[in-house]
Amino acid sequence: MTTGPPAAPTVANVTETTQTPTTPLGDERVKRSPEFRAAMELLGGLRADLIHDAFAYRPMPGLAADGPVLRRLPERLRPRAARLPAAVVLTIALVAFLGGVVSAGSSDGPWSLLSGMMCAAPVLATLARPVGAFWLSMAAVPLLAVLSGVWGEWPWTPGAFICHLAVLVIVAVRTRPRTAAWMWAVTAFYGLICEYTLGAGHYVTNTAAMLVLSAFALLVVSLWHIRRDARQEVTAQRTVTAHERSRRTLLEERTTIARELHDVVAHHMSVVAIQAEAAPYRVENPPEELERAFATIRENAVAALTELRRVLGVVRAEDYEAPDAPQPTLADLDALLANVRDAGLAVDKAVTGAVRELPPGVELSAYRIVQEALSNTLRHAPGASARVELSYVLGGLGLRIVNGRIPDAGLVKPSPGAGHGITGMRERVSMLNGEMTAGPTDDGGYEVAVFLPVTAVSEGDA
């Protein structure tokens, strides 16, 4: 037996790789301090207000047609007066041009003219490119100082002073307070740099005068912006509040109408059910078919009444109590007129056409409209007389409630109203597909005219 040399041990080729954990660069970012974030937000505001689209075309608008200035002018002068802002800017540009000419001092004529044009150009640019006009004014300031050759005032020559101050005010009016603050900051930075580098110990500086005057002017403009924005916000809020109040009144009136119609329909359906149950006992030995027919009528009436109460019952408030008596109709109108006469309202009634019974919804709505109109007369026209006219025509019912003017020697002052009663009347008329007009009369009174259509029922449909 031959024994060979021992086999070499098998060693697995395992390569050990030492991995050093690496952190992405994005995770190594140091948390920014609140001061740094605030500074970046400020620089972002500077870029948004003075750098981004600085030379965008933004023409100056004219005066609003309903503004406080144009409303006081005659109609023929309003189109011309609407261009008043542009005329004011042109006048200021002329003043800046003259200031630039004077600032040139003893320079030659062409240089004086160029100086004046450089002072007027930024002011004129505010008509179309307001933010760009500010940068034009900043660029013109050192050029005007070189052209003038007079170093008595630094860094703003008289023409540059007028030009830059005018541009600051006009651009602040056309933009917003934050833009005005940035323009003042840039102006202050430029003035301080010129004062402490180029002009220190050599020239008389007018930076303080520019900063004080511009700060005061921009503060006034900013307060005007804040007051205007606050007024617009209050106006918008009032509009929204009035809309919501009108909408709430409309919903309340619809709820009231639904309650009343629920009571009217429930009353009549109850009568149908009772009569259907009692009808077989009115006939001696009624046929079985007749008894089944009346039983079916009663069952359907009870089922409809149950569904009606389930669906329309949701519009009832928790504290609402159903009236003990049926809802009022036009037959109760005389009692209503007697009631308002006791309250001090002199009211007459006139009826034309053949008086007939109308559908319950029409009778109830007509009664409520007359009731609301007379209540409005008592509140808003104390001491005036009223007249109620009912016109029974073939296609429906016409109503007209009109009151006279308020007596001059009246002791009771009219109470202000929000128009909720008119809103409720319109809702009732709209529910019945009718028509309504309401407004003052020529003699100083008020008139409410309503037409409620009634579909005629033919004998074949009865």
Side-chain angles (χ1 to χ4, degrees):
M1 181 175 180
T2 305
T3 303
T10 303
V11 179
N13 295 327
V14 178
T15 303
E16 294 184 1
T17 303
T18 303
Q19 296 182 355
T20 304
T22 59
T23 304
L25 295 178
D27 295 340
E28 292 179 348
R29 292 179 300 180
V30 181
K31 292 184 178 180
R32 304 300 186 185
S33 63
E35 292 79 7
F36 180 83
R37 290 196 299 268
M40 294 303 296
E41 290 178 0
L42 285 176
L43 292 178
L46 172 63
R47 181 180 181 276
D49 291 339
L50 294 184
I51 299 176
H52 182 67
D53 288 340
F55 288 87
Y57 181 68
R58 301 166 187 169
M60 177 177 286
L63 292 178
D66 56 347
V69 177
L70 295 187
R71 285 183 300 181
R72 294 180 174 86
L73 296 178
E75 189 69 25
R76 57 185 180 85
L77 296 179
R78 292 181 181 178
R80 297 180 180 178
R83 297 190 291 268
L84 182 61
V88 173
V89 172
L90 292 176
T91 304
I92 298 175
L94 179 60
V95 174
F97 175 82
L98 297 177
V101 171
V102 174
S103 300
S106 58
S107 300
D108 295 336
W111 294 112
S112 300
L113 183 62
L114 178 61
S115 177
M117 293 176 63
M118 292 179 62
C119 291
V123 180
L124 293 176
T126 59
L127 292 172
R129 307 180 192 277
V131 179
F134 168 74
W135 292 115
L136 289 178
S137 178
M138 291 297 302
V141 170
L143 297 177
L144 289 169
V146 174
L147 286 177
S148 65
V150 179
W151 303 97
E153 295 181 351
W154 179 266
W156 280 277
T157 61
F161 195 97
I162 297 174
C163 168
H164 195 67
L165 185 61
V167 168
L168 287 177
V169 174
I170 296 173
V171 176
V173 170
R174 296 203 55 194
T175 55
R176 54 180 177 174
R178 195 177 75 172
T179 305
W182 278 120
M183 291 191 300
W184 188 88
V186 173
T187 301
F189 178 78
Y190 173 79
L192 295 177
I193 289 295
C194 292
E195 181 177 352
Y196 290 105
T197 56
L198 302 176
H202 299 283
Y203 309 105
V204 178
T205 177
N206 54 4
T207 299
M210 168 60 74
L211 296 183
V212 171
L213 288 178
S214 60
F216 180 77
L218 295 180
L219 178 61
V220 172
V221 173
S222 299
L223 291 177
W224 173 78
H225 270 294
I226 294 173
R227 183 174 180 271
R228 184 195 61 178
D229 294 342
R231 183 186 302 169
Q232 291 177 352
E233 184 177 355
V234 170
T235 302
Q237 188 64 34
R238 287 179 178 175
T239 303
V240 172
T241 302
H243 176 72
E244 290 297 328
R245 186 184 297 113
S246 177
R247 182 173 177 271
R248 185 172 62 251
T249 302
L250 189 63
L251 293 176
E252 291 175 354
E253 188 63 29
R254 288 179 178 178
T255 302
T256 302
I257 295 172
R259 290 171 180 170
E260 293 175 347
L261 289 181
H262 171 265
D263 297 332
V264 170
V265 176
H267 170 74
H268 287 279
M269 292 298 292
S270 300
V271 172
V272 170
I274 294 173
Q275 290 182 346
E277 184 177 6
Y281 299 100
R282 298 176 179 272
V283 181
E284 184 177 357
N285 299 323
E288 294 183 0
E289 294 81 1
L290 182 61
E291 291 182 352
R292 287 196 299 268
F294 279 117
T296 302
I297 292 175
R298 182 183 181 281
E299 291 175 358
N300 290 333
V302 172
L305 185 60
T306 303
E307 291 296 327
L308 178 66
R309 286 172 176 169
R310 181 184 300 117
V311 174
L312 294 184
V314 298
V315 302
R316 295 186 183 274
E318 295 181 358
D319 57 348
Y320 176 76
E321 296 182 1
D324 297 332
Q327 294 289 347
T329 63
L330 291 177
D332 304 311
L333 193 58
D334 291 336
L336 174 64
L337 298 182
N339 189 15
V340 296
R341 289 191 186 101
D342 294 338
L345 176 63
V347 55
D348 297 329
K349 173 186 171 184
V351 180
T352 58
V355 179
R356 65 183 186 278
E357 185 177 356
L358 300 175
V362 175
E363 294 261 352
L364 175 60
S365 295
Y367 180 90
R368 295 301 189 198
I369 290 172
V370 174
Q371 183 182 41
E372 183 61 35
L374 294 179
S375 299
N376 288 342
T377 302
L378 286 171
R379 288 193 300 267
H380 309 315
S385 59
R387 180 177 176 84
V388 178
E389 299 178 0
L390 282 76
S391 301
Y392 289 85
V393 296
L394 184 61
L397 175 68
L399 295 174
R400 181 174 179 267
I401 306 96
V402 60
N403 61 266
R405 62 188 302 270
I406 303 175
D408 297 333
L411 299 178
V412 181
K413 299 297 181 181
S415 60
H420 296 170
I422 297 296
T423 302
M425 286 188 280
R426 291 190 186 279
E427 182 63 20
R428 290 182 180 275
V429 174
S430 176
M431 179 190 65
L432 297 173
N433 296 323
E435 298 178 359
M436 172 180 167
T437 59
T441 59
D442 296 336
D443 59 352
Y446 200 85
E447 178 185 26
V448 175
V450 175
F451 177 76
L452 303 177
V454 177
T455 303
V457 180
S458 61
E459 294 181 358
D461 297 334

